[in-house]
């Protein structure tokens, strides 16, 4: 069990911790009664379910507001608090209809204790049984809590969201201290200059450079330091059109490239400045978009473009954006791998974009933005039945996805979603990322029992 991350359920007595424990496990592992203080020990079970990206240990702690403390009770609380500090994620349960002084005491503990402050925390507002209850969260936001989810542990309301947030906030414990800061895949058509760019980054010849298209047949990985960060570069095989033959060498190269895109944290899509953006480059870009990977478009061989003028780069970008309008929202860098022109700028752009992609926006920050967003009235006036967002929360980083709980998803056409998206990008400095908004109707938060 020690090798697995630990998710601990905590709260005062009789708020529904054991019911939540059983509902996540879908098993009667804990005793559930209305009598306070039934759970006296820390219960642990391994969670192995397809809804979660990795297995973890789920712990159910006793209620920490034991009255008339004796020596045994003190020991129980001490063990529970120590277990809490060894956790990787805390699920703090509050009764929606019964907020008490000890709830405030626990919240203060999470804010002030140095060990607990560093542990991701989700506060679950339990016993939310109706839609009206679900969106009456203002009193809880005033407590200064960053991550709130209204649930019904008994009725499994909002469990899909709870599972998404557990996946999102549970730290990646498989990453080692000496692992690279980020992995970068260099992809593009044959002879676009991928190997030359890799060699420029490394400062020595790591891959064979040739003018013959398709020299690199497989993916090559190398690590180097840049601005104090260890980067890993994956130089992929050149992509050509997919062959009908499953045993074709070009088909193998294509599949390896798709695998490298999946393995990378960020992608450099390299194109030849003399050839511009072709149809197959668009197809490659589509593969990157589908996976939600952060991407920088690198235009190589810019030194070989004839008769350049002051605005040549501007006009070149405009022509490419006309072919693929979404490029207006993606970073683009001109360079020459051969002449080492702006390759440093390319890496700066890559690392800046990666840092943005690693942001975890708190639910509180998103809903603060939502409540004071100046464009909300304009959106609501766009329809006889105005679209309404009850609350928003981030549920993944790659793709960078934000979930909107709304009155009716049909009231959010693409132009309104684009309006919301642009405001989020500006508010949270996400320029250059592919930010997705997923809509969920207010009555879709319930999960039926098996």
């Amino acid at each position: 069990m020690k090798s697995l991350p630990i998710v601990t359920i905590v709260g005062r007595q009789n708020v529904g911790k054991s019911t939540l424990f059983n509902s996540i496990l879908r098993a009667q592992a804990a005793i559930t009664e209305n009598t306070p203080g039934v759970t006296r020990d820390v219960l642990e079970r391994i969670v192995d379910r397809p809804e979660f990206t990795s297995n973890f240990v789920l712990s159910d702690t006793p209620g920490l507001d034991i009255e008339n403390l004796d020596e045994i009770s003190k020991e129980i609380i001490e063990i529970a608090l120590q277990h809490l500090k060894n956790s990787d994620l805390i699920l703090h349960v509050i009764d929606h209809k019964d907020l008490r002084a000890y709830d405030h005491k626990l919240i203060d503990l999470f804010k002030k204790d140095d060990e607990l402050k560093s542990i991701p925390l989700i506060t679950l507002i339990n016993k939310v049984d109706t839609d009206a209850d679900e969106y009456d969260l203002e009193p809880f936001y005033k407590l200064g809590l960053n991550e709130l989810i209204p649930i019904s542990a008994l009725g499994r309301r909002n469990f899909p969201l709870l599972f998404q947030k557990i996946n999102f906030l549970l730290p990646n414990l498989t990453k080692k201290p000496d692992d690279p800061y980020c992995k970068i895949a260099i992809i593009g058509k044959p002879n676009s200059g991928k190997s030359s760019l890799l060699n420029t980054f490394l400062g020595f010849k790591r891959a064979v450079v040739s003018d013959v298209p398709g020299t690199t047949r497989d993916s090559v990985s190398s690590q180097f330091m840049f601005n104090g960060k260890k980067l890993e570069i994956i130089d992929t095989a050149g992509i050509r059109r997919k062959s009908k033959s499953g045993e074709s060498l070009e088909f193998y190269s294509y599949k390896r490239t798709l695998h490298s895109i999946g393995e990378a944290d960020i992608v450099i899509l390299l194109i030849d400045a003399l050839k511009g953006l072709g149809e197959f480059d668009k197809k490659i870009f589509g593969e990157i978009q589908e996976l939600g990977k952060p991407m920088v478009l690198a235009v190589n061989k810019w030194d070989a473009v004839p008769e350049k003028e002051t605005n040549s780069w501007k006009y070149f970008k405009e022509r490419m954006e006309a072919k693929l309008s979404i490029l207006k929202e993606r970073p683009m860098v001109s360079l020459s791998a051969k002449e080492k022109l702006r390759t440093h700028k390319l890496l700066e752009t890559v690392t800046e974009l990666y840092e943005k992609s690693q942001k975890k926006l708190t639910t509180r920050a998103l809903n603060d933005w939502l409540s004071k967003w100046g464009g909300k009235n304009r959106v609501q006036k766009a329809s006889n039945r105005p679209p309404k967002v009850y609350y928003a929360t981030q549920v993944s980083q790659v793709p960078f996805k934000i979930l909107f709980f709304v009155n009716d998803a049909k009231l959010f056409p693409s132009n309104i979603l684009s309006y919301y998206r642009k405001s989020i990008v500006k508010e949270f400095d996400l320029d250059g990322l592919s930010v997705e908004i997923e809509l969920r109707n207010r009555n879709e938060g319930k999960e039926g029992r098996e």
Side-chain angles (χ1 to χ4, degrees):
M1 283 191 182
K2 289 184 179 179
S3 61
L4 294 176
I6 298 172
V7 177
T8 300
I9 300 170
V10 68
R12 62 175 176 80
Q13 301 176 71
N14 211 32
V15 292
K17 299 186 304 300
S18 295
T19 302
L20 175 65
F21 184 79
N22 293 335
S23 292
I24 292 176
L25 291 172
R26 290 192 184 275
Q28 194 70 23
I31 303 170
T32 54
E33 293 284 351
N34 287 328
T35 306
V38 171
T39 303
R40 304 291 285 189
D41 301 303
V42 175
L43 299 178
E44 293 186 326
R45 297 290 185 275
I46 293 177
V47 177
D48 180 5
R49 294 185 53 170
E51 296 96 330
F52 298 106
T53 53
S54 63
N55 294 352
F56 59 87
V57 175
L58 183 66
S59 301
D60 181 23
T61 60
L64 302 183
D65 56 330
I66 300 173
E67 297 179 3
N68 303 317
L69 287 175
D70 54 25
E71 289 305 315
I72 296 177
S73 297
K74 288 178 182 178
E75 185 177 351
I76 289 171
I77 291 178
E78 185 177 334
I79 291 171
L81 285 174
Q82 189 56 49
H83 186 86
L84 203 59
K85 293 179 180 182
N86 291 330
S87 303
D88 300 290
L89 175 66
I90 297 171
L91 304 180
H92 171 214
V93 186
I94 291 178
D95 188 330
H96 175 257
K97 301 178 177 68
D98 188 14
L99 191 64
R100 297 186 184 179
Y102 199 84
D103 295 311
H104 294 276
K105 185 176 179 180
L106 267 179
I107 292 168
D108 287 341
L109 181 67
F110 293 135
K111 290 179 181 179
K112 295 175 182 177
D113 187 281
D114 290 335
E115 291 179 83
L116 292 177
K117 281 192 295 186
S118 62
I119 302 172
L121 171 73
I122 304 174
T123 299
L124 303 177
I125 314 302
N126 193 26
K127 305 182 184 179
V128 171
D129 301 314
T130 68
D131 290 342
D133 289 340
E134 183 167 344
Y135 303 106
D136 183 24
L137 299 179
E138 188 62 28
F140 299 100
Y141 277 117
K142 288 180 179 178
L143 299 176
L145 298 164
N146 285 325
E147 294 294 342
L148 288 177
I149 303 179
I151 67 164
S152 170
L154 188 62
R156 303 182 63 82
R157 176 185 284 266
N158 263 344
F159 268 46
L161 174 59
L162 171 58
F163 292 171
Q164 282 181 294
K165 293 297 284 190
I166 289 174
N167 287 331
F168 177 57
L169 291 174
L170 201 59
N172 179 11
L173 301 184
T174 61
K175 193 164 185 177
K176 300 174 183 175
D178 59 343
D179 283 346
Y181 171 71
C182 72
K183 294 182 180 181
I184 305 164
I186 305 175
I187 66 169
K189 291 188 293 188
N191 211 29
S192 58
K194 298 183 302 300
S195 296
S196 295
L197 182 59
L198 173 64
N199 292 339
T200 299
F201 287 159
L202 297 177
F204 61 90
K205 288 199 172 185
R206 173 65 179 82
V208 177
V209 181
S210 171
D211 291 331
V212 180
T215 301
T216 306
R217 292 293 189 179
D218 210 335
S219 298
V220 183
S221 295
S222 299
Q223 295 182 354
F224 68 102
M225 298 299 293
F226 177 75
N227 287 349
K229 297 180 175 68
K230 184 195 291 183
L231 306 182
E232 182 170 300
I233 297 285
I234 308 168
D235 175 38
T236 60
I239 298 180
R240 284 183 176 173
R241 293 192 179 278
K242 195 173 180 178
S243 169
K244 293 181 181 179
S245 170
E247 297 180 357
S248 163
L249 190 58
E250 298 304 338
F251 174 78
Y252 173 75
S253 296
Y254 177 86
K255 297 297 287 184
R256 285 291 299 152
T257 299
L258 294 186
H259 176 75
S260 296
I261 294 172
E263 289 292 306
D265 298 309
I266 192 163
V267 178
I268 295 174
L269 175 54
L270 197 65
I271 68 169
D272 188 327
L274 300 175
K275 297 178 181 178
L277 190 71
E279 288 302 312
F280 203 64
D281 293 309
K282 295 180 186 178
K283 184 177 179 180
I284 297 169
F285 179 75
E287 300 281 6
I288 300 168
Q289 282 288 102
E290 189 172 337
L291 291 172
K293 296 287 182 175
M295 185 212 75
V296 177
L297 185 66
V299 182
N300 193 25
K301 306 181 185 179
W302 188 249
D303 59 312
V305 174
E307 300 178 0
K308 291 193 290 292
E309 298 177 357
T310 304
N311 293 321
S312 292
W313 176 239
K314 176 186 174 185
Y315 296 143
F316 184 89
K317 285 180 63 178
E318 288 175 350
R319 287 196 301 272
M320 290 209 293
E321 289 165 358
K323 291 183 178 181
L324 195 61
S325 61
I326 198 170
L327 288 178
K328 294 177 182 177
E329 302 173 12
R330 301 291 174 269
M332 203 180 304
V333 178
S334 64
L335 62 107
S336 169
K338 183 178 179 181
E339 301 297 328
K340 298 180 175 59
L341 174 69
R342 283 190 289 279
T343 52
H344 191 277
K345 172 66 175 175
L346 173 60
L347 280 179
E348 284 183 335
T349 304
V350 164
T351 53
E352 287 171 7
L353 189 63
Y354 173 71
E355 287 176 8
K356 289 181 181 181
S357 75
Q358 295 305 293
K359 287 185 178 181
K360 289 188 176 182
L361 308 180
T362 67
T363 301
R364 182 184 180 187
L366 278 167
N367 287 281
D368 284 347
W369 157 78
L370 194 61
S371 65
K372 58 188 180 185
W373 180 44
K376 187 163 56 173
N377 290 335
R378 177 178 164 185
V379 169
Q380 290 177 343
K381 290 176 182 177
S383 170
N384 292 330
R385 184 187 172 201
K388 183 174 179 58
V389 182
Y390 295 107
Y391 64 94
T393 187
Q394 186 183 354
V395 291
S396 73
Q397 289 171 299
V398 181
F400 201 98
K401 184 182 291 185
I402 294 170
L403 182 62
F404 278 10
F405 279 81
V406 301
N407 56 341
D408 188 347
K410 295 177 183 177
L411 300 175
F412 290 80
S414 58
N415 63 319
I416 288 181
L417 281 180
S418 178
Y419 194 46
Y420 274 104
R421 190 182 297 109
K422 287 177 181 177
S423 177
I424 290 171
V425 167
K426 182 179 179 181
E427 176 73 15
F428 297 103
D429 187 27
L430 303 175
D431 187 54
L433 289 181
S434 175
V435 177
E436 298 181 15
I437 295 177
E438 179 183 328
L439 301 177
R440 187 171 296 172
N441 290 332
R442 62 189 294 175
N443 59 355
E444 291 180 11
K446 303 168 189 175
E447 181 189 275
R449 301 187 188 186
E450 289 180 348

